[in-house]
């Protein structure tokens, strides 16, 4: 026993330290191995509202559960339009990003070789195969698909149900545009401004115009301008703008509209100051918030009735908005594709409908979603797979958009006639053509 | 020995020169270079078009309209905030008790960012719920109510007045500081000569603050020429370019229409106008001393 050396406290602590060190080292090595095995996709979504963050949290959590080896690194970019081009061109961009994919937004990226064509992925990925062909077609540039359309949107006339009830309006205009004008007259006579419009936000007069031009020129007539030899200075284009002027001249749409921004109009619509509001279904989330905040407010929508009765079928302004694209320099193409495909999966889509009130152009059953009444009604139309008309500004080149938006303000403020505006649009369109900027399907 | 001293001076200059070169000179040279190209901001190909962008600017009616709006901005910016600031400074300087309270209260608008000022004044000008129209209605001047930011006739001036509200406190504080440097014996002499308050203000205060005024006017001139934030947040340049200024127009052409080369050419034009006008102004003021 004497020969047996007793372990001192120092020896014991040394031993424990050595064991702990080895265990820690082992842990670090395993963690490093695990981390190196984990694939990463840098993803830039657009919206950063608390609701959107929650939605994205849920979607990424569902993706992580299904694909544990891929990590999604999310960086919200509310100013996506301003930075994506520079970010991609300087190699500091994401692997995958969310942004509008119609040509007016996407073509500069395509022409600069900054995004990747996804035709192969459309053939092989199960959820991408389900995208409605008409919606996929809207994102085609130079004969290829460069993005996955994710938001189908349309532009109806939202109306304040409480105001309509108070004024005893029971019938919505369905047969002719004159019925709509009569409705406006009734509302105005009751001391309420018939139409709200956020003219300061420039895009808004464009939404009303898109509705009117679809009803005068029609989807096919508009496509003739976009893809064929159609001209902007043709009578139907001018007539649609004249109808905005008419609404102002009759006092159904006041010049105050040019001084209003979106929050002011939304508040005015919810408060009953405006009986109707022409905006897109992207506003559903805000309208539902107004409904939650103000129990006296309820709303629904209808479509403007026909103007040109020779046009066949409903002419609904709308189309695709946001979508997902993969950078030409994505570090892990396969992982990026898996992520995009997941974003179009029923599991992800359900979250998208319920949190964002937005629908992708894929078949789905709105009955299986937990949605308020009006968003559900809107989703049903989209789920039907019906091809929509156009929201003009998203399918024309940026320089033409500038003339389009500003010109509508000019018409509303009496600085420009519809005919002069149409002429300017044609000049800018020809300039865009010369610069190779027009839609190249 | 002299060479060593130069070396030391050079060492002190190098960091500042490097920063200036990297963040001011280099972008400026690049902008000039870009202005001779047609470029969409992303494409690897920049097409050399020589003076094409400058010739297009000369024919661009919106560019000239925006420039004329900048002149309105300059006129209002040179006149209103400085004169209001001077007047208030002279008044506050006379206050014996509670001067700090006045100074603090009057200075408050300046601490707000221009974007916030734009939002606040956007609400003030709101045609339905804005306080301006409500006050006009309350005092029986309903005929004067209008959609201030949506009316092409008044939008530019309406935006400008919001800028004046933001800018006058800075002028006031600088003038107050300047007033402390005025020799009190000049006021004593004026009093002995029988000058009244207005005469003292005109013949003693104003001339004594000449250098301060030069400083403030140069600053006001540059800020009016490069005005962006207020216009952008309040009207976006609309309705139909009625409040468009050069900076917002450059932004739209370069980053919204993605004619980056053209935007660069407009920027160079703006820089030339700003440098020339400021140089002439300062030279004129110094020559007069």
């Amino acid at each position: 026993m004497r020969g047996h050396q007793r372990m001192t406290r120092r020896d014991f602590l040394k031993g424990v330290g050595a064991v702990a060190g080895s265990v820690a080292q082992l842990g670090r090595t395993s963690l490093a191995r695990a981390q190196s095995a984990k694939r990463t996709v840098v993803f830039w979504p657009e919206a950063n509202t608390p609701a959107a963050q929650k939605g994205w949290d849920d979607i990424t959590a569902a993706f992580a559960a299904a694909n544990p080896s891929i990590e999604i690194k999310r960086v919200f970019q509310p100013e996506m339009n301003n930075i994506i081009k520079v970010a991609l061109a300087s190699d500091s961009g994401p692997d995958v990003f969310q942004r509008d994919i119609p040509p007016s937004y996407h073509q500069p990226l395509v022409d600069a070789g900054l995004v990747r064509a996804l035709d192969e992925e459309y053939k092989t990925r199960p959820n991408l195969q389900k995208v409605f062909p008409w919606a996929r077609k809207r994102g085609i540039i130079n004969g290829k698909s460069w993005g996955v359309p994710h938001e189908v949107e349309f532009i109806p006339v939202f109306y304040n149900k409480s105001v309509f009830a108070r004024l005893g309006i029971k019938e919505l205009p369905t047969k002719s545009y004159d019925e709509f004008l009569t409705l406006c007259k009734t509302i105005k006579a009751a001391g309420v401004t018939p139409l709200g419009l956020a003219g300061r936000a420039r895009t808004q007069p464009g939404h009303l115009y898109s509705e009117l031009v679809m009803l005068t020129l029609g989807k096919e007539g508009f496509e003739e301008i976009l893809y064929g030899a159609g001209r902007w200075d043709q009578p139907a284009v001018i007539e649609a703008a004249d109808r905005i002027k008419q609404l102002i001249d009759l006092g159904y749409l006041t010049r105050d509209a040019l001084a209003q921004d979106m929050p002011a109009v939304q508040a005015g619509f919810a408060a009953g100051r405006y009986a109707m509001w022409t905006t897109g279904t992207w506003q559903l989330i805000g309208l539902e918030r107004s409904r939650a905040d103000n129990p006296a407010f309820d709303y629904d929508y209808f479509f403007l009735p026909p103007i040109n009765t020779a046009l066949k079928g409903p002419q609904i302004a709308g189309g695709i908005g946001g979508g997902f694209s993969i950078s030409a320099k994505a570090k892990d193409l396969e992982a990026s594709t898996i992520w995009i495909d997941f974003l179009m999966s029923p599991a992800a889509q359900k979250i998208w409908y319920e949190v964002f009130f937005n629908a992708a152009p894929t078949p789905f059953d709105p009955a299986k979603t937990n949605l308020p009444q009006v968003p559900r009604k809107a989703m049903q139309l989209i789920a039907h797979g019906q091809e929509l008309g156009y929201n003009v500004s998203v399918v024309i080149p940026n320089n033409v958009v500038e003339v389009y938006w500003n010109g509508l303000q000019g018409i509303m403020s009496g600085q420009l006639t519809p005919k002069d505006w149409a002429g300017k649009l044609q000049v800018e369109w020809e300039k865009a053509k010369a610069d190779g900027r027009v839609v190249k399907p | 020995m002299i060479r060593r001293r130069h070396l030391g001076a050079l060492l002190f200059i190098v960091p500042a020169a490097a920063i200036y070169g990297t963040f001011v000179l280099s972008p400026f040279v690049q902008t000039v270079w870009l202005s001779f190209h047609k470029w969409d901001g992303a494409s690897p190909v920049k097409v050399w078009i020589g003076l094409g962008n400058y010739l297009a600017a000369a024919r661009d009616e919106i560019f000239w309209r925006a420039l004329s709006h900048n002149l309105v901005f300059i006129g209002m910016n040179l006149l209103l905030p400085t004169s209001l600031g001077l007047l208030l400074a002279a008044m506050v300087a006379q206050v014996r008790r509670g001067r700090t309270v006045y100074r603090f209260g009057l200075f408050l608008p300046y601490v707000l960012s221009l974007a916030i000022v734009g939002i606040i004044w956007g609400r003030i000008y709101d045609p339905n719920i804005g306080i301006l129209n409500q006050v006009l209605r309350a005092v029986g001047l309903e005929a004067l109510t209008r959609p201030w930011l949506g009316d092409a006739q008044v939008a530019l001036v309406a935006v400008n007045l919001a800028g004046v509200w933001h800018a006058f406190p800075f002028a006031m504080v600088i003038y107050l500081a300047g007033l402390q440097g005025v020799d009190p014996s000049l006021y004593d002499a004026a009093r002995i000569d029988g000058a009244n308050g207005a005469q003292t203000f005109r013949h003693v205060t104003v001339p004594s603050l000449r250098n301060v005024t030069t400083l403030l006017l140069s600053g006001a001139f540059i800020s009016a020429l490069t005005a962006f934030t207020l216009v952008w947040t309040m009207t976006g340049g609309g309705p139909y370019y009625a409040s468009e200024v050069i900076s917002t127009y450059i932004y739209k052409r370069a980053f919204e229409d993605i004619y980056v080369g053209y935007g660069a050419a407009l920027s160079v034009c703006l820089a030339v106008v700003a440098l020339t006008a400021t140089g002439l102004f300062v030279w004129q003021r110094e020559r007069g001393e």
Side-chain angles (χ1 to χ4, degrees), chain A residues 82 85 108 112 114 200 202 256 258-261 273-274 398-399 402 406 409-410 415-416 424 431 435 437, chain B residues 38 40 42-43 65 123 126-128 147 150 152 233-234 238-241 251-253 256-259:
Chain A
N82 292 333
K85 199 167 48 180
L114 298 174
R200 241 168 92 192
R202 294 203 305 167
D256 287 5
L258 285 167
Q260 299 283 14
D261 57 15
R273 200 160 42 248
Y274 309 114
N398 302 53
N399 58 312
E402 184 67 23
N406 282 315
Q409 280 191 337
Q415 298 178 78
L416 200 63
K424 282 176 188 287
K431 189 175 167 193
D435 290 345
R437 286 176 167 214
Chain B
K38 181 180 258 190
D40 66 6
S43 166
R65 193 173 173 192
R123 289 285 171 269
D126 186 290
N128 296 310
T233 50
M234 292 177 77
Y240 190 57
Y241 307 112
Y251 179 81
K252 284 178 184 172
R253 298 300 273 168
E256 291 190 343
D257 302 358
I258 55 171
Y259 282 120

Side-chain angles (χ1 to χ4, degrees), chain A residues 4-20:
Chain A
H4 180 77
Q5 281 187 313
R6 281 182 65 196
M7 183 182 270
T8 63
R9 193 162 57 185
R10 181 176 290 178
D11 291 337
F12 174 76
L13 289 173
K14 270 185 186 169
V16 169
V19 170

Side-chain angles (χ1 to χ4, degrees), chain A residues 9-303:
Chain A
R9 193 162 57 185
R10 181 176 290 178
D11 291 337
F12 174 76
L13 289 173
K14 270 185 186 169
V16 169
V19 170
S22 306
V23 169
Q25 182 59 35
L26 193 67
R28 272 197 296 271
T29 312
S30 314
L31 187 66
R33 267 199 208 118
Q35 277 176 339
S36 65
K38 195 141 189 163
R39 299 154 76 183
T40 304
V41 173
V42 177
F43 172 59
W44 286 8
E46 278 181 299
N48 67 347
T49 60
Q53 298 220 16
K54 164 81 172 66
W56 283 115
D57 284 348
D58 293 348
I59 290 173
T60 12
F63 178 78
N67 301 275
S69 64
I70 301 174
E71 186 191 359
I72 303 299
K73 283 197 172 167
R74 218 174 45 195
V75 184
F76 284 100
Q77 298 291 357
E79 292 297 320
M80 186 73 80
N81 283 337
N82 292 333
I83 62 162
I84 188 65
K85 199 167 48 180
V86 176
L88 292 173
S90 60
D91 287 349
S92 52
D95 298 309
V96 179
F97 59 96
Q98 178 197 23
R99 189 207 186 206
D100 288 39
I101 63 162
S104 72
Y105 292 87
H106 226 39
Q107 195 155 312
L109 302 185
V110 172
D111 289 346
L114 298 174
V115 285
R116 192 184 163 77
L118 300 173
D119 298 81
E120 277 308 307
E121 286 71 18
Y122 268 108
K123 283 182 203 157
T124 54
R125 294 287 164 187
N127 294 307
L128 299 192
Q129 286 171 352
K130 292 186 221 159
V131 173
F132 297 141
W134 75 264
R136 187 181 158 191
K137 196 178 123 199
R138 295 284 174 96
I140 288 180
I141 299 167
N142 302 338
K144 290 183 179 173
S145 295
W146 303 89
V148 179
H150 188 244
E151 291 169 273
V152 180
E153 300 158 336
F154 59 85
I155 305 169
V157 180
F158 289 97
Y159 67 96
N160 185 321
K161 279 172 90 171
S162 321
V163 170
F164 272 42
R166 196 179 75 228
L167 304 183
I169 299 166
K170 293 195 177 79
E171 293 215 358
L172 297 172
T174 53
K175 292 188 188 69
S176 74
Y177 188 75
D178 285 343
E179 275 184 15
F180 173 69
L181 292 179
T182 308
L183 171 70
C184 290
K185 192 177 179 184
T186 309
I187 295 168
K188 189 177 178 238
V192 179
T193 305
L195 279 165
L197 190 106
R200 241 168 92 192
R202 294 203 305 167
T203 55
Q204 274 265 283
H207 299 147
L208 175 59
Y209 181 79
S210 293
E211 282 190 275
L212 292 167
V213 82
M214 285 302 123
L215 294 170
T216 48
L217 184 61
K219 176 178 153 291
E220 284 174 15
F222 185 68
E223 281 171 348
E224 185 56 25
I225 297 179
L226 282 183
Y227 309 122
R231 293 180 63 86
W232 285 95
D233 48 5
Q234 63 180 287
V237 172
I238 298 168
E239 184 196 332
D242 260 326
R243 287 187 186 275
I244 293 186
K245 191 171 173 301
Q246 182 194 31
L247 289 172
I248 288 192
D249 292 344
L250 293 170
Y252 302 157
L253 181 64
T254 64
R255 283 218 165 89
D256 287 5
L258 285 167
Q260 299 283 14
D261 57 15
M262 291 290 274
V265 174
Q266 185 174 320
F269 177 61
R273 200 160 42 248
Y274 309 114
M276 296 176 283
W277 183 18
T278 48
T279 185
T281 46
W282 53 82
Q283 209 62 41
L284 282 168
I285 196 161
L287 290 169
E288 282 301 315
R289 208 179 305 128
S290 293
R291 206 165 65 90
D293 292 345
N294 177 6
F297 168 64
D298 199 4
Y299 72 103
D300 202 340
Y301 68 80
F302 63 89
F303 291 106

Side-chain angles (χ1 to χ4, degrees), chain B residues 7-272:
Chain B
L7 194 68
L10 205 64
L11 277 175
F12 278 106
I13 290 168
V14 163
I19 291 170
Y20 187 77
T22 308
F23 294 107
V24 179
L25 283 182
S26 165
F28 183 75
V29 171
Q30 281 184 48
T31 304
V32 173
W33 175 248
L34 273 179
S35 73
F36 297 118
H37 294 82
K38 181 180 258 190
W39 188 45
D40 66 6
S43 166
V45 182
K46 298 183 185 80
V47 182
W48 173 268
I49 54 166
L51 292 173
N53 284 325
Y54 291 96
L55 294 173
R59 290 190 299 265
D60 186 343
E61 60 181 87
I62 309 297
F63 168 70
W64 292 108
R65 193 173 173 192
L67 196 60
S68 73
H69 294 161
N70 275 91
L71 290 178
V72 174
F73 258 69
I74 289 167
M76 287 183 73
N77 241 29
L78 291 187
L79 192 69
L80 296 180
T82 33
S83 31
L84 195 60
L86 176 60
L87 201 66
L88 286 168
M91 287 163 76
V92 170
Q94 302 296 318
V95 174
R96 293 279 168 261
R97 290 177 62 189
R99 185 190 297 184
T100 311
V101 175
Y102 283 110
R103 207 162 45 186
F104 174 76
L106 288 167
F107 191 69
L108 267 182
Y110 189 70
V111 302
L112 297 173
S113 83
L114 272 174
I116 302 293
V117 172
I119 292 167
I120 292 171
W121 280 82
R123 289 285 171 269
I124 290 172
Y125 287 136
D126 186 290
N128 296 310
I129 56 167
I131 194 166
L132 182 56
N133 276 357
Q134 287 191 29
V135 168
L136 288 172
R137 281 188 202 108
V139 298
L141 294 172
E142 179 135 19
L144 293 181
T145 61
R146 60 195 63 235
W148 298 95
L149 299 178
D151 185 331
Q153 309 297 321
V154 294
L156 183 68
V157 173
V159 171
N160 236 311
L161 287 176
V164 170
W165 180 76
H166 178 260
F168 85 82
F170 179 72
M172 182 195 74
V173 167
I174 298 295
Y175 275 128
L176 268 174
L179 281 171
Q180 287 173 8
V182 179
D183 186 351
S185 63
L186 292 173
Y187 288 104
D188 294 338
R191 205 176 308 122
I192 290 165
D193 288 344
N196 62 24
Q199 287 167 327
T200 308
F201 180 74
R202 187 179 160 200
H203 296 290
V204 177
T205 307
V206 173
S208 302
L209 293 171
R210 186 182 172 82
N211 288 337
V212 176
T213 305
T214 302
L215 171 83
L216 287 171
L217 289 182
S218 319
F221 180 83
I222 296 289
S223 70
L225 205 56
T226 55
F228 179 88
T229 315
L230 269 184
V231 176
W232 197 250
T233 50
M234 292 177 77
T235 62
Y240 190 57
Y241 307 112
S243 60
E244 197 80 74
V245 288
I246 290 288
S247 298
T248 53
Y249 190 54
I250 289 172
Y251 179 81
K252 284 178 184 172
R253 298 300 273 168
F255 301 110
E256 291 190 343
D257 302 358
I258 55 171
Y259 282 120
V260 177
Y262 187 61
L266 296 181
S267 301
V268 172
C269 292
L270 176 63
V272 168

